[in-house]
Amino acid sequence: MEMCLLTQFGRTNREISDIDKKKFKLVFELCDIDKKGFLNREDLKIAVVMLFGYKPSKSETDMLMDQAQETDSPGVSVEMFVSLMGRKLSSEDQYLKTRQIFNAFDVHCRGFLKLEDYRRAFSKVAPLLPQRTVLEAFSQCHLRALNAEPTRSTQI
């Protein structure tokens, strides 16, 4: 039976680089239009959209703004913004998109993919893609899954 397993994906804290910090500061500057030295509620929402691609919920925005008010600031300072966005980025699930794609392919909720799952998914999103390419993509995934599984000698 041909199948491709979803290997173990987990959430790991990622190190925040200097490039990340520079990006946060640049976004802060772009969103602080009036150059007041802090981001108000609306500025903060725009900054999150720019960095993470989604509009934060009211509760998430409240939580971020509450941290600024603990320091008696009228908004989120650049230092606090870098810290908050760094924590957010470091705890972001780097495999979320992979799991979402896998779940879209795994319509029968088996926890693994068969060649028929690949063919069905690719026929919907890329109907002109040659079947040989779909087979090669499946084969690559299948080989990686086989290589990731422990052998009998490593289990002893």
Side-chain angles (χ1 to χ4, degrees), residues 34-45:
D34 300 331
K35 304 299 178 218
K36 50 197 176 299
F38 63 88
L39 299 181
N40 63 27
R41 184 178 195 81
E42 292 307 310
D43 298 336
L44 183 60
K45 285 191 230 179

Side-chain angles (χ1 to χ4, degrees), residues 28-36 39 43 46:
F28 180 93
E29 290 171 12
L30 292 171
C31 293
D32 183 15
I33 297 168
D34 300 331
K35 304 299 178 218
K36 50 197 176 299
L39 299 181
D43 298 336
I46 292 167

Side-chain angles (χ1 to χ4, degrees), residues 130-144:
Q131 285 299 304
R132 176 154 177 78
T133 304
V134 175
L135 181 58
E136 287 173 3
F138 177 82
S139 297
Q140 287 297 313
C141 178
H142 184 67
L143 285 173
R144 274 190 240 122

